[in-house]
Amino acid sequence: MALLKVKFDQMKRVKLAQGLWLMNWLSVLAGIVIFSLGLFLKIELRKRSEVMNNSESHFVPNSLIGMGVLSCVFNSLAGKICYDALDPAKYAKWKPWLKPYLAVCVLFNIALLLVTLCCFLMRGSLESTLAHGLKNGMKYYRDTDTPGRCFMKKTIDMLQIEFKCCGNNGFRDWFEIQWISNRYLDFSSKEVKDRIKSNVDGRYLVDGVPFSCCNPSSPRPCIQYQLTNNSAHYSYDHQTEELNLWVNGCRVALLNYYSSLMNSMGAVALLVWLFEVTITIGLRYLHTALESVSNPEDPECESEGWLLEKSVSETWKAFLESLKKLGKSNQVEAEGADAGQAPEAG
């Protein structure tokens, strides 16, 4: 028994074809939106590629760009099919291709749903990528004279100013690395020598942060150095007083920014997916309604459209049977090829 059977007369078939034609062209515009969102996200990720540990984060924007292009192609083609469905002579050339086309549309909808889910589920992967990338970026902050790393200082400074953050997890991360280049250290100074000797790795570590960590909204002039030394500053207690530095780490700030972007894009992609599923269902009804016309010479006669020719369980069984037959035919072909090679080997 057919699933969700609906009766159609000529007027209903014409309205269905016209409605689907309009929906397909609206979906082409939606595909352009998906493509644009993926391109925007890719550009935003490339802006800060120096603090990204790997290229896994580009999977989502690349997928959105691909889905946008495919959406434009498939829906343009579907719009043409719906337009030609009103003319029996033009529809005849599309008739053999409608079933394969609908199967491709189902696969496209599944892929679009998976990409949509990835938009919501990439936070964990993005977090680890940012954590490692920012750690390496901070480590190379001082290498202003090293080819390939000379722009890292500017990148980190602009990042901290734009996102109002400091360090990876917080400003104390700067205490654990040497962020001042040896070029600007006076090695004849006793203080510099003592600090380097006191460190096992021979690094010059200070309880200070770069200028880009300073919060301009603070009424007090920025305290960058000797942050943990209360006696170095007037009326200052680093444990009780709110420091005039950005409190949040850049990992959390960037993660929240990119997560909000991908969540918004995931919501748009989900709406587009629902729209695409609706179009695919409508195309299936149009296909079956035109196929079941009892008298092709009488265009005004009634016909029936359905979503599935059989019930869900019967359709699933038929699908499994077709897979089994396909597997057996491949096995027979392989055995035949082996049998043909055996006499030649003899």
Side-chain angles (χ1 to χ4, degrees), residues 129-320:
T129 296
L130 286 169
H132 290 92
L134 282 167
K135 188 176 180 181
N136 290 331
M138 291 172 62
K139 186 169 64 176
Y140 301 138
Y141 180 89
R142 62 174 179 165
D143 296 342
T144 52
D145 298 326
T146 306
R149 301 175 187 171
C150 53
F151 295 105
M152 187 58 71
K153 179 183 180 299
K154 180 182 177 182
T155 301
I156 296 294
D157 284 333
M158 295 302 296
L159 180 69
Q160 294 187 144
I161 292 171
E162 182 181 355
F163 287 91
K164 300 179 180 180
C165 58
C166 185
N168 191 349
N169 299 305
F171 70 93
R172 291 183 180 274
D173 292 338
W174 289 107
F175 299 175
E176 301 172 4
I177 63 172
Q178 180 183 338
W179 55 273
I180 302 174
S181 175
N182 289 336
R183 180 181 179 182
Y184 305 105
L185 293 178
D186 182 9
F187 287 95
S188 63
S189 170
K190 184 177 183 302
E191 181 189 354
V192 174
K193 289 179 180 179
D194 291 342
R195 281 189 178 275
I196 292 176
K197 287 179 181 178
S198 64
N199 185 261
V200 178
D201 298 326
R203 294 179 298 170
Y204 181 75
L205 304 182
V206 293
D207 54 344
V209 295
F211 78 97
S212 53
C213 284
C214 294
N215 182 358
S217 301
S218 175
R220 180 168 186 160
C222 185
I223 299 175
Q224 293 178 244
Y225 299 101
Q226 296 183 333
L227 292 171
T228 57
N229 186 0
N230 294 334
S231 61
H233 312 283
Y234 175 74
S235 183
Y236 174 77
D237 186 354
H238 74 279
Q239 292 182 339
T240 58
E241 186 176 348
E242 185 177 350
L243 300 176
N244 51 3
L245 304 175
W246 300 122
V247 179
N248 293 330
C250 291
R251 178 178 58 84
V252 174
L254 280 172
L255 184 63
N256 291 337
Y257 172 70
Y258 285 121
S259 295
S260 64
L261 273 183
M262 287 197 286
N263 287 340
S264 301
M265 292 177 184
V268 173
L270 183 62
L271 292 175
V272 173
W273 175 76
L274 292 172
F275 199 62
E276 292 284 355
V277 169
T278 305
I279 290 173
T280 304
I281 293 172
L283 281 172
R284 175 60 176 168
Y285 273 111
L286 180 64
H287 170 230
T288 52
L290 292 172
E291 287 287 321
S292 62
V293 173
S294 56
N295 186 8
E297 297 179 358
D298 182 14
E300 296 185 0
C301 67
E302 289 190 349
S303 62
E304 291 182 341
W306 55 81
L307 192 60
L308 292 176
E309 191 172 359
K310 302 175 183 177
S311 64
V312 177
S313 59
E314 290 175 345
T315 303
W316 178 248
K317 287 179 182 178
F319 175 71
L320 293 178

Side-chain angles (χ1 to χ4, degrees), residues 4-161:
L4 300 177
K5 187 184 292 186
V6 179
K7 287 189 176 182
F8 289 89
D9 55 18
Q10 186 191 20
M11 184 60 66
K12 286 184 178 180
R13 289 194 296 268
V14 169
K15 286 184 177 180
L16 178 60
Q18 290 174 341
L20 286 172
W21 177 84
L22 179 61
M23 290 176 70
N24 274 292
W25 287 110
L26 289 175
S27 195
V28 169
L29 296 178
I32 295 173
V33 171
I34 292 290
F35 176 86
S36 303
L37 291 175
L39 190 62
F40 172 74
L41 181 58
K42 191 172 184 66
I43 292 171
E44 285 296 301
L45 289 170
R46 282 198 175 276
K47 279 182 183 178
R48 300 165 189 96
S49 58
E50 292 90 349
V51 295
M52 298 284 185
N53 191 45
N54 51 44
S55 59
E56 288 180 9
S57 54
H58 289 271
F59 172 77
V60 171
N62 290 340
S63 300
L64 288 173
I65 290 171
M67 288 293 106
V69 172
L70 290 176
S71 177
C72 292
V73 173
F74 288 149
N75 287 290
S76 300
L77 184 59
K80 175 64 176 172
I81 293 172
C82 294
Y83 182 80
D84 290 345
L86 301 174
D87 186 349
K90 292 182 178 179
Y91 175 73
K93 65 180 181 180
W94 294 108
K95 193 173 179 181
W97 301 100
L98 269 179
K99 270 192 176 180
Y101 176 77
L102 285 169
V104 172
C105 286
V106 171
L107 294 176
F108 170 75
N109 289 330
I110 293 172
L112 182 58
L113 179 60
L114 293 176
V115 172
T116 303
L117 293 176
C118 286
C119 290
F120 296 110
L121 301 176
M122 282 294 288
R123 184 182 175 92
S125 175
L126 189 62
E127 184 173 9
S128 62
T129 296
L130 286 169
H132 290 92
L134 282 167
K135 188 176 180 181
N136 290 331
M138 291 172 62
K139 186 169 64 176
Y140 301 138
Y141 180 89
R142 62 174 179 165
D143 296 342
T144 52
D145 298 326
T146 306
R149 301 175 187 171
C150 53
F151 295 105
M152 187 58 71
K153 179 183 180 299
K154 180 182 177 182
T155 301
I156 296 294
D157 284 333
M158 295 302 296
L159 180 69
Q160 294 187 144
I161 292 171

